[in-house]
């Protein structure tokens, strides 16, 4: 990181350089969580960073101003530690639902927001992923289920329902779905 190197070089003492380093890692963290804004779930619930995550601009999303305002306000509340809700976005294909969530992830990345995509066939991993994310208190996470649908008689939705409604383990306060 260029800014970190600059602050270390400009520090007048070793203690000043150490403070700059500690301040940087306190804000940004280290490893994958500092490097990537978005992740997908790998085998066994491991996080895999998405290197080519698109950075959409919130203001480039046109229309649906009322819905955008509600989504933005909810995300701002979440980032400030205020009460926030899980969100279900519905609408016709191509109306910006996924793009809106990705734009919010990019907008709040510097504040510690990370996006984690979970596919329909990974729903059984929701509980272990939530447990893992609960341990990472330096970041906030949005679990992102894109194009989620269920067939009649299918029961895999129960993993997601349990995460939303609560089970033995409550949804961590640093995670929204």
């Amino acid at each position: 990181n260029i800014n970190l190197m600059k602050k270390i070089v400009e520090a007048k003492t070793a203690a000043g350089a150490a403070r700059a380093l500690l301040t940087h890692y306190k804000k940004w963290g280290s490893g994958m969580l500092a490097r990537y804004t978005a992740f997908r779930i790998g085998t066994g619930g491991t996080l895999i960073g998405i290197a080519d995550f698109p950075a959409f601009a919130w203001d480039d999303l046109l229309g649906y101003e009322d819905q955008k305002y509600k989504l933005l306000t909810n995300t701002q509340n979440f980032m400030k530690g205020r009460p926030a809700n899980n969100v279900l976005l519905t609408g016709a294909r191509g109306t910006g639902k996924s793009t809106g969530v990705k734009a919010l992830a990019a907008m709040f990345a510097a504040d510690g927001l990370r996006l984690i995509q979970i596919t329909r066939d990974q729903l059984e991993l929701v509980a272990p992923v939530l447990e893992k994310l609960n341990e990472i208190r330096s970041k906030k996470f949005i679990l992102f289920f894109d194009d989620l649908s269920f067939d009649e008689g299918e029961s895999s939705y129960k993993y997601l329902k349990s995460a939303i409604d609560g089970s033995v383990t409550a949804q961590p306060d640093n995670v929204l779905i």
Side-chain angles (χ1 to χ4, degrees):
N1 184 315
I2 294 170
N3 288 333
L4 174 60
M5 290 301 286
K6 182 179 177 186
K7 289 178 183 176
I8 290 173
V9 169
E10 290 175 351
K12 297 185 188 327
T13 64
R19 272 193 305 277
L21 189 63
L22 288 173
T23 299
H24 175 83
Y25 283 111
K26 186 174 182 179
K27 178 175 182 178
W28 298 102
S30 64
M32 286 195 338
L33 289 173
R35 183 173 179 198
Y36 299 106
T37 298
F39 299 84
R40 63 182 175 83
I41 301 298
T43 308
T46 59
L47 298 178
I48 299 171
I50 300 173
D52 57 351
F53 180 69
F56 295 107
W58 182 255
D59 292 334
D60 288 347
L61 298 170
L62 304 176
Y64 303 100
E65 295 307 318
D66 187 45
Q67 293 87 343
K68 282 177 47 183
Y69 173 79
K70 289 176 182 177
L71 190 59
L72 177 60
T73 301
N74 191 63
T75 306
Q76 288 170 329
N77 287 339
F78 176 55
M79 295 306 295
K80 291 176 183 174
R82 296 179 187 149
N85 296 307
N86 294 319
V87 175
L88 175 65
L89 299 174
T90 63
R93 172 173 254 125
T95 56
K97 299 175 303 291
S98 298
T99 302
V101 174
K102 292 173 186 176
L104 286 171
M107 179 188 299
F108 291 100
D111 298 320
L113 183 62
R114 299 296 181 262
L115 185 70
I116 300 177
Q117 182 172 336
I118 299 180
T119 63
R120 184 175 171 267
D121 62 333
Q122 295 176 315
L123 290 177
E124 73 278 359
L125 297 174
V126 170
V129 166
L130 286 175
E131 287 177 26
K132 186 179 294 184
L133 298 179
N134 188 39
E135 296 172 7
I136 306 170
R137 304 311 294 179
S138 64
K139 302 287 183 235
K140 296 202 181 234
F141 301 93
I142 292 177
L143 291 187
F144 180 53
F145 301 88
D146 199 13
D147 294 325
L148 191 60
S149 63
F150 299 100
D151 296 325
E152 188 175 333
E154 188 174 356
S155 63
S156 62
Y157 73 90
K158 291 180 181 180
Y159 295 110
L160 181 57
K161 182 181 182 306
S162 176
I164 293 171
D165 290 346
S167 59
V168 175
T169 306
Q171 180 178 328
D173 62 357
N174 66 331
V175 178
L176 281 184
I177 298 173

